[in-house]
Amino acid sequence: MRNRIHDFVGSIGATIGLLVFLAYIPQIISNLNGEKGQPWPPLVAAISCLLWVIYGFTAEPKKDYILIVPNVAGVIFGLITFFTSF
């Protein structure tokens, strides 16, 4: 039962994590349309996510994909948002 609760909560957390980083898409579109935003929050988020990805890949006894997947999205969308902010 404990593993089922753990997997359920982890899946909800991963889904919410993906949604958080997908929320960068409107900012990316605005940046590309000339309405530049603050570059630093998405860069810091991308760095944070990168650390969580590394942590998830080095977890023992197996990789923690529930942690890895949303944070890979955070790295990608955070960096895209950062680079389009200039």
Side-chain angles (χ1 to χ4, degrees):
M1 180 69 167
R2 188 175 192 171
N3 283 341
R4 291 183 66 187
I5 293 170
H6 177 33
D7 290 346
F8 178 72
V9 171
S11 296
I12 291 172
T15 301
I16 291 170
L18 282 170
L19 294 174
V20 165
F21 298 116
L22 289 174
Y24 279 135
I25 292 173
Q27 181 62 46
I28 293 168
I29 292 169
S30 292
N31 291 343
L32 293 173
N33 288 330
E35 300 171 30
K36 304 301 181 182
Q38 279 290 328
W40 307 116
L43 177 63
V44 172
I47 293 168
S48 174
C49 290
L50 179 61
L51 293 173
W52 282 113
V53 169
I54 293 168
Y55 178 85
F57 270 117
T58 59
E60 292 292 334
K62 62 180 185 169
K63 294 173 177 56
D64 189 346
Y65 289 105
I66 288 179
L67 186 65
I68 294 168
V69 171
N71 284 292
V72 165
V75 171
I76 293 168
F77 287 110
L79 289 176
I80 291 171
T81 307
F82 172 74
F83 287 115
T84 60
S85 295
F86 295 103

